[in-house]
Amino acid sequence: MTDRPTVHRNQIAEARNVLGEVIARARFAGEPTILINRGKEAAVIVSYEDFATLRELRAYLEELRSGDTADAKHKARVLDEALALAKYRALDSG
């Protein structure tokens, strides 16, 4: 099992002051930074690689959802469940 990266949290104004550091952590260390606005999570700065992976996963899921075979529908259901669990775990640990 791989270690989960450190997740940083910053107010948007604080992150603005150290933007280079925030970007470097995301880019080189794979450590995302959650941006907080008025006490709520507003956005996340992640590496381009992580962003591209998420985009590809979303496109793949949409492709599976629109498929007309039982296999595609099954894969879509499995991926939907995995994403729902990941979202639940992320929100629960935040």
Side-chain angles (χ1 to χ4, degrees):
M1 188 150 182
T2 61
D3 291 334
R4 294 179 78 175
T6 300
V7 176
H8 303 274
R9 300 171 69 82
N10 284 101
Q11 295 290 328
I12 291 174
E14 293 170 16
R16 204 178 287 130
N17 293 332
V18 290
L19 186 58
E21 181 182 320
V22 169
I23 292 170
R25 282 195 309 241
R27 185 175 179 197
F28 300 115
E31 297 177 352
T33 297
I34 299 171
L35 300 177
I36 309 297
N37 186 28
R38 298 181 184 180
K40 295 189 179 209
E41 289 94 359
V44 180
I45 296 178
V46 297
S47 68
Y48 183 79
E49 180 182 344
D50 287 349
F51 168 73
T53 299
L54 178 58
R55 233 175 119 161
E56 284 300 312
L57 279 172
R58 286 181 172 169
Y60 179 59
L61 179 56
E62 287 306 312
E63 184 180 309
L64 290 174
R65 284 179 179 153
S66 65
D68 55 2
T69 67
D71 184 52
K73 292 184 187 311
H74 172 72
K75 287 178 180 177
R77 188 170 49 255
V78 169
L79 190 51
D80 271 328
E81 290 172 3
L83 290 172
L85 178 60
K87 184 177 181 179
Y88 171 78
R89 288 178 60 187
L91 292 175
D92 190 45
S93 67

